Amino acid sequence: MIRIAIANQKGGVGKTTTAINIATAIAATGWRTLLIDLDPQGNASTGLGIPSRDREDSTYDLLMEEATVAQCTLKTRIPNLDIIPATQDLSGAEVELVAEGDRVERLKKALANADHHYDVCFIDCPPSLGLLTLNALSAADSLMVPLQCEFFALEGLSQLLQTVERVQQGINPSLNIIGVTLTMFDRRNRLTDAVAEDVRECLGGLVFDTVIPRNVRLSEAPSHGLPALIYDHSCAGSRAYMALARELLGRMPLERKAA
């Protein structure tokens, strides 16, 4: 099972929107896909139409070793796409795990028994670089970084890259960055073009060619419990995520590493 963490410690960069729609697009190609909601806000769960009452077992239970992947997993309305939902209980996991020796490897251990069930797993991280995100980076093969096209996003990217380097040195040497995707792109704004140019100059081929535009339909879709690709597959945002998914597939291993 290929494991891809979607992370950026800065909030409001389109991280969860990217997680939902990329997971949907990959599932649509026939890949057995698992999305793990590791954000206590539970937005990925809500965006896929999972009501709070159905989240009996969640990522909190998974990290606290009170439930298995199979027990926590729920089917979504999207064929080939399952989710492990999040609840607000997850916000207490970082405090509860502090004293545990394996505190950054709980998710990795939990996923070890699920490799043969899925081809790919996406992990939607919270907007922080705390224990939850470290668990995701420890468990993942690759990191995908949504980056909003604004000046302060560049500073956040620098901090994230430093964290990745520390994770590679001390926790997960095999972690790599599969790509950076530019989000909330507005061609009418000169700053947007300037930031995109700076990012591409700094990171080169790591930056995906596809950019995700600012799009009202992307913002509306979660309120209907649907990915934008289902809510309005012809809108500019949906078309961009389908193009991004094709790029991502081109960077993923040909073999899905399923046991």
Side-chain angles (χ1 to χ4, degrees):
M1 180 171 67
I2 300 166
R3 305 172 185 175
I4 300 175
I6 300 178
N8 188 329
Q9 80 276 17
K10 190 177 185 304
V13 300
K15 176 180 55 60
T16 297
T17 299
T18 297
I20 291 172
N21 288 288
I22 283 293
T24 299
I26 298 298
T29 68
W31 288 51
R32 298 171 299 167
T33 306
L34 176 65
L35 176 59
I36 298 177
D37 190 348
L38 210 60
D39 188 341
Q41 297 177 81
N43 290 337
S45 307
T46 302
L48 283 173
I50 307 298
S52 298
R53 64 178 179 275
D54 290 345
R55 305 176 200 178
E56 186 172 343
D57 291 313
S58 66
T59 43
Y60 170 81
D61 302 288
L62 193 66
L63 292 179
M64 300 311 295
E65 299 182 334
E66 295 175 358
T68 64
V69 168
Q71 290 171 323
C72 296
T73 300
L74 296 175
K75 296 285 184 184
T76 72
R77 288 179 279 181
I78 314 302
N80 296 318
L81 177 57
D82 293 348
I83 186 170
I84 299 180
T87 64
Q88 291 184 353
D89 291 342
L90 191 59
S91 59
E94 294 197 81
V95 176
E96 295 179 53
L97 287 173
V98 165
E100 302 296 330
D102 62 347
R103 57 186 172 272
V104 300
E105 297 181 340
R106 289 292 182 93
L107 183 60
K108 181 179 181 179
K109 289 166 60 179
L111 291 177
N113 297 320
D115 270 356
H116 62 285
H117 291 298
Y118 298 97
D119 299 314
V120 61
C121 168
F122 293 99
I123 308 169
D124 183 31
C125 299
S128 70
L129 293 176
L131 271 180
L132 295 177
T133 298
L134 287 177
N135 261 272
L137 297 181
S138 174
D141 306 308
S142 304
L143 169 66
M144 184 176 183
V145 184
L147 184 70
Q148 185 179 359
C149 293
E150 65 170 32
F151 174 75
F152 289 119
L154 295 175
E155 292 186 347
L157 177 62
S158 175
Q159 294 172 9
L160 180 60
L161 294 178
Q162 291 174 11
T163 299
V164 170
E165 186 175 346
R166 289 195 293 269
V167 169
Q168 290 170 329
Q169 293 173 351
I171 302 173
N172 184 3
S174 63
L175 180 67
N176 68 83
I177 299 176
I178 199 167
V180 174
T181 181
L182 300 174
T183 62
M184 302 183 180
F185 193 87
D186 187 349
R187 296 189 184 279
R188 299 169 299 178
N189 188 330
R190 291 184 180 180
L191 178 60
T192 293
D193 285 322
V195 170
E197 186 177 333
D198 286 347
V199 173
R200 292 189 188 280
E201 184 176 336
C202 177
L203 299 178
L206 273 181
V207 185
F208 288 105
D209 292 334
T210 303
V211 297
I212 309 300
R214 286 191 178 275
N215 184 247
V216 173
R217 305 298 267 176
L218 288 179
S219 302
E220 291 176 349
S223 66
H224 296 271
L226 290 170
L229 270 68
I230 304 297
Y231 178 64
D232 184 352
H233 67 89
S234 64
C235 73
S238 293
R239 293 198 305 271
Y241 274 118
M242 286 186 278
L244 180 61
R246 287 192 291 271
E247 274 197 80
L248 180 61
L249 283 169
R251 299 189 184 192
M252 288 161 64
L254 293 177
E255 295 184 8
R256 306 180 188 182
K257 302 200 303 188

